[in-house]
């Protein structure tokens, strides 16, 4: 948008401000701006961060032929505005050192050269060049060499075959199984293109709570159709499998991984898959977790189970991602169980197995310490799993930019090999020559026109891809790129939006679960607060009281040496640091300690006061986001502006709800007043305790919060 139109818009906004309150402000602005010829086309968000208008005249040369190269060529021909480009698929010292996904870009006064030893590398280089152009970088003298940090950069879809999406908040599953394989929606290609543009090179199509049916020949034909679309965008297809498939689908009497017939069944099934999809990626497995079947049902180990599948996949180059999200109700602290379960098998897994570990030891909470399984194993590849979909961060209603959360994990020092042994280094550096390096994010994508529900949730899809490629990027750098690509704003407005994004995750932590509190969510759907939740007969480790342990003495889970001793799973100096209430970082205090209400915090306040301040801070932050967003009104198209504005209202409502619910509930134990300088509660505890949200799987809660 040029400067004149910005000035015009500002003038018009003022003019609109004088018109009667009954006039719908944004709509009118839109109308006036259109009359004025300014650029305010409504945007439904479907183009996400690839919003370049075709210029269609670039000169692009490429002497080799492949479907992927022809995509690269078309993208550049249509959208590149600069000097002629040559795409060079070649193997020399430089390109070989960058690998087949890596690339080099050089430009001078004659033109641009993108070279790689793989077609995927050329495609990624193409999107890099276009990204530079669209973010306003001078492309006249480039000398870039890029290589991804992780070999496998994967989205995990938790999509069911009936097109519901577990923990999905953006409509239904993209995969229209009824129409496939005959009909391939154009959205499959658009989705693949968005993924490729940020370097994502694999997708697990179905829910980890997998239906055996996904492996039926009928479904394999449908999956083949998807794989055929994704392939030219450099995307491999993977499947989540149900461990009891041999019995449930194959009709065998057992699914015991040491049974010969079972092993044969998997081998045959894998062969069949590769007949349909020659570049199939492999399996993701959730086993012996939350009621799902697994090798332990037959007295076998996780290694037995994973290795059986690995042996079947190995001849074809496929891999197994075996999830470490395993815990059982019992006396042991849930946060310790994944480590206990997997450490004894370090070195027992085949080389084509990687253990997929959630960022925290419990479950995708707004803040957790990093899982101690990172930097623990020495002979087994381990990969991080992040949750892009906002199961625990306000669904698609709350603005929460998650690069900050993921960076906190990736940058955390495990101290495995001394200082600097960050999670990023421990997982991106192969432990042995053939070791797999991989990273996964649970997708937030569905049939909504803008893919992700909240317009800002797209930033999380984008950021996941960018971090998987280069975990050294900062959250701020990624946010800046995304804003530039997604909106057309003057710098000042970009800065405001960036501030909102960078503060947003901490705001959510503050109004939901500050100081290391976790899992205070409402039963089942996990939207909204329910610290009081007590369901008769339910698993105790699914109840908030298991985690907050509030009583008249204090609050928090004692995981110190004298408590559950979870601190022991961390290398020194972390173990000692976390073990003491005095040295434990305050943002994790109640994760590791049961702390007296009167405990003095570093601010000089008591724990109770600090808790009140934190909750209040969270609410104030979101109110500030609302103000900041309203200020950028002249620079955002009406459709997306209003959408975000509407969701911010919900977020403010929810933040107050969280604050009131948690403070009024915990106050019963603390028996202390909420500091008088803070805003008073707006709800009654009894009303909130009576209130039950009725949420179907993929719908967002209704706007009105009342009984
Ligand atoms: C939990 C989700 C559940 C998933 C599970 C998992 O509530 O829906 O199936 O994680 O990761 O957070 O397997």
């Amino acid at each position: 948008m040029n400067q004149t139109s910005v000035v015009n818009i500002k003038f018009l906004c003022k003019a609109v401000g004088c018109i009667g309150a009954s006039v719908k402000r944004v709509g009118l602005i839109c109308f006036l701006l259109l009359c004025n010829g300014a650029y305010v086309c409504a945007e439904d968000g479907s183009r996400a961060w690839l919003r370049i208008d075709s210029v269609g005249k670039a000169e692009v040369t490429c002497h080799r032929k492949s479907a992927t190269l022809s995509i690269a060529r078309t993208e550049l021909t249509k959208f590149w505005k600069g000097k002629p480009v040559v795409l060079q698929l070649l193997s020399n010292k430089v390109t070989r050192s960058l690998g087949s996904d890596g690339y080099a870009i050089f430009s001078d006064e004659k033109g641009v050269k993108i070279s790689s030893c793989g077609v995927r590398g050329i495609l990624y280089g193409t999107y890099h060049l276009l990204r530079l152009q669209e973010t306003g970088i001078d492309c006249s003298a480039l000398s870039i060499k890029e290589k991804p940090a992780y070999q496998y950069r994967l989205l995990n879809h938790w999509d069911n075959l009936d097109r519901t999406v577990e923990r999905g908040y953006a409509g239904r599953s993209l995969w229209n199984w009824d129409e496939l394989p005959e009909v391939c929606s154009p959205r499959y290609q658009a989705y693949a293109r968005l993924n490729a543009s940020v370097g994502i090179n694999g997708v697990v199509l179905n829910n980890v709570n997998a239906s055996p049916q996904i492996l039926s020949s009928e479904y394999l034909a449908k999956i083949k159709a998807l794989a055929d679309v994704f392939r030219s965008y450099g995307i491999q297809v993977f499947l989540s499998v149900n461990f009891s498939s041999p019995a449930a689908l194959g009709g065998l009497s057992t699914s015991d991984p040491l049974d010969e017939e079972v092993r044969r069944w998997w081998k045959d099934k894998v062969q069949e898959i590769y007949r349909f999809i020659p570049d199939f990626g492999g399996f993701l497995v959730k086993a012996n977790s939350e009621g799902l079947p697994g090798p332990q049902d037959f007295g076998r180990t996780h290694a037995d189970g994973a290795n059986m599948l690995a042996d079947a996949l190995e001849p074809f180059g496929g891999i197994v991602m075996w999830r470490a999200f395993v815990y059982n109700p019992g006396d042991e602290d849930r946060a310790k169980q994944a480590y206990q379960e997997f450490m004894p098998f370090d070195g027992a897994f085949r080389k084509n197995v990687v253990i997929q570990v959630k960022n925290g030891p419990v479950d995708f909470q707004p803040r957790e310490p990093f899982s101690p399984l990172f930097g623990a194993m020495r002979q087994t590849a381990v990969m991080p799993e992040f949750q892009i979909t906002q199961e625990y961060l306000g669904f698609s209603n709350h603005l929460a930019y998650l690069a900050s959360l993921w960076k906190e994990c990736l940058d955390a020092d495990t101290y495995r090999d001394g200082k600097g042994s960050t999670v990023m280094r421990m997982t991106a550096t192969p432990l042995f020559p053939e070791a797999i390096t991989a990273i996964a994010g649970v997708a937030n994508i569905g049939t909504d026109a803008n893919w992700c529900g909240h317009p800002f949730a797209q930033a999380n899809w984008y950021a996941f891809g960018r971090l998987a490629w280069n975990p050294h990027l900062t959250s701020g750098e990624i946010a800046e790129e995304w804003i530039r690509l997604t909106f057309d704003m003057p710098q000042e407005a970009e800065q405001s939006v960036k501030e909102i994004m960078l503060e947003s995750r901490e705001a959510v932590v503050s109004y939901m679960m500050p100081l290391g509190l976790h899992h205070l969510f409402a039963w089942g759907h996990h939207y909204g607060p329910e610290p009081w939740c007590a369901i008769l007969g339910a698993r105790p480790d699914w109840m908030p009281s298991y985690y907050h342990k509030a009583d008249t003495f204090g609050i928090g889970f004692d995981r110190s040496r004298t408590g559950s001793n979870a601190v022991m799973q961390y290398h020194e100096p972390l173990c000692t640091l976390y073990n003491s209430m005095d040295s434990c970082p305050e943002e994790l205090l109640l994760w590791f300690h049961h702390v007296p209400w009167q405990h003095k915090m570093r601010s000089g306040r008591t724990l109770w006061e600090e808790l009140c301040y934190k909750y209040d801070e969270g609410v104030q932050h979101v109110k500030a986001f609302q103000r900041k967003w309203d200020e950028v009104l002249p620079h955002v198209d009406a459709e997306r502006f209003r959408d975000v504005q509407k969701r911010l209202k919900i977020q403010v409502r929810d933040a107050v709800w969280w604050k009131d619910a948690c403070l009024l509930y915990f106050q019963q134990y603390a028996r202390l007043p909420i500091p008088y300088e803070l805003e008073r509660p707006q709800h009654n505890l009894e009303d909130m305790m009576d209130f039950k949200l009725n949420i179907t799987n993929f719908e967002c809660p209704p706007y009105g919060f009342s009984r």
Side-chain angles (χ1 to χ4, degrees), residues 52-62 68-88 105 112-114 122-131 133 193:
I52 326 175
D53 289 314
S54 171
V55 280
K57 57 178 186 325
E59 194 184 311
V60 185
T61 318
C62 179
T68 306
L69 288 175
S70 103
I71 291 173
R73 192 187 178 131
T74 310
E75 293 281 17
L76 288 167
T77 311
K78 276 168 81 177
F79 303 119
W80 173 243
K81 298 170 188 160
K83 299 230 163 90
V85 187
V86 180
L87 303 177
Q88 295 179 309
I105 308 178
V112 187
K113 272 186 197 142
I114 302 178
I122 300 278
L123 186 64
Y124 295 146
T126 295
Y127 287 120
H128 188 147
L129 187 65
L130 292 173
R131 182 167 62 236
Q133 167 181 284
R193 179 175 179 244

Side-chain angles (χ1 to χ4, degrees), residues 422-629:
T422 57
V423 171
M424 177 197 316
R425 256 191 63 207
M426 297 297 96
T427 53
T429 318
L431 276 174
F432 46 91
E434 319 87 308
I436 295 163
T437 64
I439 187 163
V442 180
N444 61 349
I445 300 157
T447 49
D448 278 5
N450 73 0
W451 306 93
C452 303
H454 199 305
F456 276 78
Q458 285 182 356
N460 292 331
W461 178 7
Y462 182 85
F464 171 75
R466 297 291 286 128
L467 281 177
W469 183 278
N470 180 3
H472 293 283
L473 289 171
T474 66
S475 320
E477 285 166 338
I478 300 172
E480 243 164 57
E481 273 179 19
W482 180 80
I483 296 165
R484 291 233 167 121
L485 296 170
T486 306
F487 302 104
D488 304 282
M489 301 176 163
Q491 236 182 4
E492 208 184 314
E494 278 177 6
Q495 191 52 34
S496 298
V497 174
K498 183 177 162 191
E499 278 165 23
I500 295 177
M501 289 172 74
L502 292 186
E503 288 166 23
S504 60
R505 182 276 183 136
E506 201 59 43
V508 176
V509 171
S510 299
Y511 65 70
M512 284 188 185
M513 276 163 260
L515 302 176
L517 284 173
H518 49 294
H519 234 309
L520 307 181
F521 295 96
W523 172 255
H525 53 68
H526 298 159
Y527 191 89
E530 223 174 86
W532 49 80
C533 176
I535 309 258
L536 217 63
R539 279 174 67 155
D541 56 349
W542 286 354
M543 293 295 113
S545 57
Y546 174 94
Y547 301 96
H548 65 66
K549 301 205 184 306
D551 56 25
T552 52
F553 173 83
I555 182 169
F557 197 129
D558 184 2
R559 296 189 164 110
S560 71
R561 288 195 185 111
T562 48
S564 81
N565 204 12
V567 292
M568 276 301 285
Q569 294 181 342
Y570 291 90
H571 296 291
E572 286 295 2
L574 291 180
C575 174
T576 303
L577 184 90
Y578 292 152
N579 185 56
S580 150
M581 231 184 256
D582 294 327
S583 57
C584 183
E586 283 191 348
E587 71 265 20
L588 292 174
L589 189 63
L590 305 181
W591 182 281
F592 285 112
H593 295 276
H594 190 68
V595 182
W597 293 112
Q598 297 288 2
H599 174 82
K600 268 266 175 304
M601 303 292 286
R602 273 159 221 153
S603 61
R605 300 183 189 118
T606 64
L607 168 67
W608 166 251
E609 288 164 349
E610 189 76 6
L611 211 55
C612 296
Y613 268 86
K614 280 284 172 201
Y615 273 107
D616 191 68
E617 201 176 287
V619 172
Q620 299 314 326
H621 266 301
V622 189
K623 288 186 177 171
F625 298 162
Q626 260 191 316
R627 281 193 297 274
K628 278 192 185 160
W629 183 250

Side-chain angles (χ1 to χ4, degrees), residues 158 166-167 207-209 286 289-290 292 323 325 327 334 358 362-365 385 387 391-392 442 519 524 526:
W158 284 0
E166 180 148 345
R167 313 306 179 182
N207 193 353
V208 284
N209 299 313
K286 172 175 177 179
S289 164
E290 299 189 328
L292 266 93
R323 293 177 91 225
F325 183 64
Y327 63 102
R334 171 172 168 187
K358 289 189 181 184
V362 169
D363 193 3
F364 297 139
Q365 298 298 289
E385 175 181 320
Q387 197 177 38
E391 172 183 1
Y392 293 107
V442 180
H519 234 309
H526 298 159

